[in-house]
Amino acid sequence: MHSRFTNSRRTEPHVASRRTTDRAVSPVIGGILMFGLVIAMVSLIQVTGVPVWNAQEEFHHSQAVQAEFQTLDQAVEDVAATGSSRSVVLDTGMDYPTRPFLFNPPPVVGQLQVDSAGDIGITNAAVVHNTNYWSKTATADPTFATSTVRYTPGYRQYQGAPETYYEHGVLYNRFADGTVLPASESNLVDGREISLVVLDGQLSTASSAPTTVELHGLSGPAQTTTITSRDSSGVVLTLPTAFDEATWLDLLGDQVDGYDPANPTSYDPLVDEEPRAYIADLDVTGGVLTLTMEPGSYDLRLAKVGVGNGYTDEPPLYVTAVDGDGSAVVAGNAGTFVAQVRDQFNNPTPGVSLTFSVDGTGTFVKSDGTVIPSSSVDVTTDANGLARVYFRPNGDVLLTAKGDLDDSGSITAREKAMFNVEFVTPVGDGYSEYEGSLNPVGSKTVILQQAERLSTSNTNHGTCTANTFCEIRLNFENLDTFDRNIEQIRVNFYSANSISNSEGDFPDYAALVAADGTVLYSPLTVGGSFVAVDSPGGANPIVLSDSSTTAIYLKFYYVDNTNKAFELEKGDFFALTIVYDNSRTGTYLVGIVDDARK
């Protein structure tokens, strides 16, 4: 009988084999877990890190575009100054940098556009030395439509990014909440200089690639034209603007009379504190900036620049005499007469045909003296808009330069310029170099012997209360054998040295004073009319004795500010015309070079 335990053996599992299998599976599971962790980390970075990094990229791009707008500003100024063309590249869009295992959105698309801004106006202004356009009797004031350049970014993360604008030479940013912050300075007004550039054209593009902006000079190179107020009030400028009054005060603060940048809330347009700040009043109402200038003369530079395409070229508008009007020509000589064709921005227009004709007798000649056998001459304006002829009169004559500028079939007053010419017959020896010419030197003329700047350290300097150099002594020598009495005197113009005169301004009028500073005749408005001088026997005659030298003293002032004499700088110069009692005249170009030694 077998035991129940016979051949009864329990089979045990293969323990070693199971442990080996467990060790093989563990790395696989670990790998899966690590891969999942990496995916989770990449996903987290994609969701949280990439947007932050992209926002930084967009911010840096926004800063770069604003820097490129500064380049655009300079290019516009260059085109206005030269009348040429230029192109500027603006990086309107951007690509995000490549990041391994991470995804970026599509490239940023930015929009560049030219928007109509409104009209620039200049009122109560007249162009000096020109009666055909912007005259003192004009019934209409000129306006000029202008535009702004706008950049709108299409950023995805930089939600506070501003739109960037270019307006009236100023770069600014407009934020979503309406805040407007300038990003550059303004050169709209600088002392007695006013600079305006009108933008015209069409441009609307959206691109992720760089955009080339074409600029074209439509009116230029910009000429400086002297304007003055028509009446006792000042010239007024109006410009459409996105800025408020406080912003413009910040931009033009040092040009605004009565404004203290350190205490901007104290601005009072009725206060006249700074003699070299000529904006009498600044106001912004209804999106329009109004600048009221102090009475007086200003140098105006206007230009028109085309942006993109769809712009309008400026046609010729008027003709003006720039040289020869009111001149005197000695018998047998030929005078030079120059007309200029200009557009509405007072800039030259080349390639325009003008006809010069004469009312009176005489002969047109070439520059070498060759006679032109015709009673009229056709001349085409050169690159500077100038047309020049030479005429030898036989008596007093009236020359006319005219052209049908608008092809209307008729010629209006603004399309012609007049030249009044005085015919002079030499009288005896010594008048071969006629006194009516610049700085006469004939043997029987009155010559300017010396001009000396006087200061507070000189004797007979008058009263220099506010300036170190405030007066000039002109020593005239009468070479004739008869006394000369001055009947009239006029200050034609004054040019300040742009290097030493950092303000770039000039005086409004002069006073003819005695050696002790007593005012004899005032005001002698710079660029104004002749002032009559008393005859012998009157209160203040000025007699230049024969064969001797006589000193005449002049002081220059700012308008309506007689206690503020103008500082005379070396390198300044001015022109003075004197009418003598024998009906002869002398025009003297006076350069301020020497200082008086005593």
Side-chain angles (χ1 to χ4, degrees):
M1 181 173 111
H2 295 284
S3 170
R4 54 191 182 102
F5 299 104
T6 302
N7 297 325
S8 176
R9 296 171 56 187
R10 188 169 58 186
T11 302
E12 296 293 333
H14 197 298
V15 176
S17 175
R18 184 180 61 190
R19 291 175 179 173
T20 302
T21 303
D22 289 344
R23 286 197 297 268
V25 171
S26 296
V28 174
I29 296 175
I32 294 173
L33 291 175
M34 288 298 294
F35 181 74
L37 181 60
V38 169
I39 294 299
M41 292 181 64
V42 170
S43 299
L44 181 63
I45 293 172
Q46 180 71 50
V47 173
T48 61
V50 171
V52 173
W53 297 335
N54 285 348
Q56 292 176 341
E57 294 292 334
E58 291 171 352
F59 174 79
H60 292 316
H61 178 264
S62 176
Q63 298 297 304
V65 170
Q66 292 178 43
E68 290 170 349
F69 260 71
Q70 298 281 5
T71 303
L72 175 67
D73 174 29
Q74 186 58 56
V76 169
E77 292 295 325
D78 291 345
V79 170
T82 62
S84 59
S85 297
R86 278 193 60 180
S87 60
V88 177
V89 177
L90 299 179
D91 198 5
T92 50
M94 63 162 284
D95 285 323
Y96 299 102
T98 301
R99 302 183 181 97
F101 309 113
L102 298 173
F103 296 96
N104 279 323
V108 169
V109 175
Q111 184 176 21
L112 192 65
Q113 188 164 331
V114 172
D115 300 319
S116 175
D119 290 342
I120 294 174
I122 304 177
T123 60
N124 195 37
V127 175
V128 177
H129 308 308
N130 174 37
T131 59
N132 299 331
Y133 181 56
W134 282 16
S135 67
K136 287 197 172 184
T137 58
T139 57
D141 294 304
T143 58
F144 310 97
T146 191
S147 300
T148 59
V149 180
R150 170 171 57 92
Y151 170 69
T152 305
Y155 300 135
R156 292 177 172 80
Q157 302 301 329
Y158 181 21
Q159 299 302 318
E163 290 185 313
T164 301
Y165 289 77
Y166 178 70
E167 166 192 300
H168 309 315
V170 178
L171 170 67
Y172 67 89
N173 293 318
R174 182 194 291 274
F175 293 86
D177 62 359
T179 302
V180 175
L181 295 178
S184 68
E185 298 179 347
S186 172
N187 62 352
L188 176 61
V189 177
D190 184 7
R192 288 192 175 274
E193 295 181 358
I194 301 172
S195 300
L196 288 167
V197 178
V198 169
L199 299 182
D200 181 29
Q202 297 176 1
L203 178 65
S204 181
T205 179
S207 176
S208 61
T211 300
T212 300
V213 180
E214 300 291 344
L215 302 175
H216 305 277
L218 306 179
S219 176
Q223 285 191 152
T224 298
T225 304
T226 302
I227 61 172
T228 187
S229 48
R230 294 178 187 166
D231 52 34
S232 58
S233 58
V235 173
V236 178
L237 310 177
T238 56
L239 301 91
T241 184
F243 300 157
D244 57 16
E245 184 172 305
T247 302
W248 274 112
L249 282 171
D250 184 57
L251 287 169
L252 298 174
D254 59 343
Q255 306 295 325
V256 181
D257 215 354
Y259 176 73
D260 181 7
N263 188 17
T265 59
S266 67
Y267 170 55
D268 184 355
L270 300 180
V271 175
D272 187 4
E273 294 179 339
E274 174 52 60
R276 296 191 178 186
Y278 297 106
I279 300 177
D281 182 46
L282 185 154
D283 175 75
V284 176
T285 302
V288 176
L289 167 67
T290 301
L291 300 178
T292 303
M293 311 302 294
E294 293 185 352
S297 299
Y298 295 87
D299 286 340
L300 174 67
R301 291 177 67 254
L302 287 171
K304 181 180 178 182
V305 173
V307 183
N309 51 48
Y311 46 77
T312 303
D313 290 317
E314 280 303 312
L317 181 67
Y318 70 99
V319 184
T320 187
V322 296
D323 188 22
D325 181 30
S327 64
V329 180
V330 178
N333 294 336
T336 302
F337 303 93
V338 184
Q340 187 176 49
V341 178
R342 299 175 180 173
D343 58 27
Q344 66 168 334
F345 294 89
N346 301 307
N347 294 325
T349 305
V352 179
S353 179
L354 293 181
T355 299
F356 285 79
S357 58
V358 60
D359 182 5
T361 60
T363 307
F364 285 102
V365 298
K366 297 180 180 179
S367 58
D368 61 2
T370 304
V371 173
I372 300 175
S374 176
S375 59
S376 64
V377 176
D378 293 331
V379 182
T380 300
T381 58
D382 61 16
N384 296 314
L386 300 175
R388 179 180 286 101
V389 298
Y390 306 93
F391 187 77
R392 184 183 297 145
N394 294 330
D396 292 350
V397 299
L398 176 66
L399 287 177
T400 302
K402 59 185 178 182
D404 185 6
L405 305 185
D406 57 4
D407 296 323
S408 64
S410 61
I411 296 177
T412 62
R414 62 176 171 79
E415 295 176 309
K416 55 187 175 183
M418 306 295 190
F419 301 84
N420 288 286
V421 185
E422 179 186 358
F423 178 74
V424 178
T425 302
V427 180
D429 181 36
Y431 294 109
S432 59
E433 296 183 70
Y434 176 58
E435 292 176 298
S437 62
L438 188 63
N439 290 341
V441 294
S443 60
K444 292 188 178 181
T445 61
V446 176
I447 66 172
L448 176 61
Q449 188 182 73
Q450 189 179 27
E452 301 174 294
R453 186 175 66 160
L454 303 179
S455 73
T456 52
S457 62
N458 300 122
T459 58
N460 297 332
H461 66 272
T463 53
C464 295
T465 57
N467 301 75
T468 303
F469 294 98
C470 72
E471 190 171 326
I472 189 165
R473 179 169 59 207
L474 305 176
N475 298 316
F476 288 97
E477 183 178 3
N478 181 7
L479 301 178
D480 208 342
T481 56
F482 299 92
D483 291 350
R484 293 288 185 88
N485 303 317
I486 294 179
E487 289 190 341
Q488 299 180 73
I489 190 168
R490 174 178 183 260
V491 178
N492 305 58
F493 69 85
Y494 192 105
S495 177
N497 183 351
S498 61
I499 297 178
S500 60
N501 189 332
S502 59
E503 297 293 333
D505 59 358
F506 52 87
D508 296 293
Y509 69 94
L512 197 158
V513 300
D516 62 359
T518 302
V519 175
L520 303 178
Y521 298 97
S522 181
L524 279 68
T525 303
V526 174
S529 303
F530 280 94
V531 172
V533 176
D534 293 337
S535 301
N540 297 304
I542 301 177
V543 180
L544 308 183
S545 301
D546 66 283
S547 305
S548 62
T549 300
T550 304
I552 293 177
Y553 299 85
L554 288 177
K555 291 179 69 175
F556 289 90
Y557 295 96
Y558 296 104
V559 71
D560 296 334
N561 209 347
T562 54
N563 65 327
K564 295 289 186 181
F566 179 80
E567 181 81 7
L568 304 175
E569 301 277 4
K570 286 188 177 182
D572 293 4
F573 63 92
F574 63 92
L576 187 74
T577 297
I578 297 175
V579 179
Y580 301 102
D581 56 349
N582 61 353
S583 298
R584 297 191 179 276
T585 63
T587 299
Y588 306 90
L589 186 63
V590 183
I592 300 176
V593 178
D594 299 322
D595 291 338
R597 288 172 289 181
K598 63 178 183 177

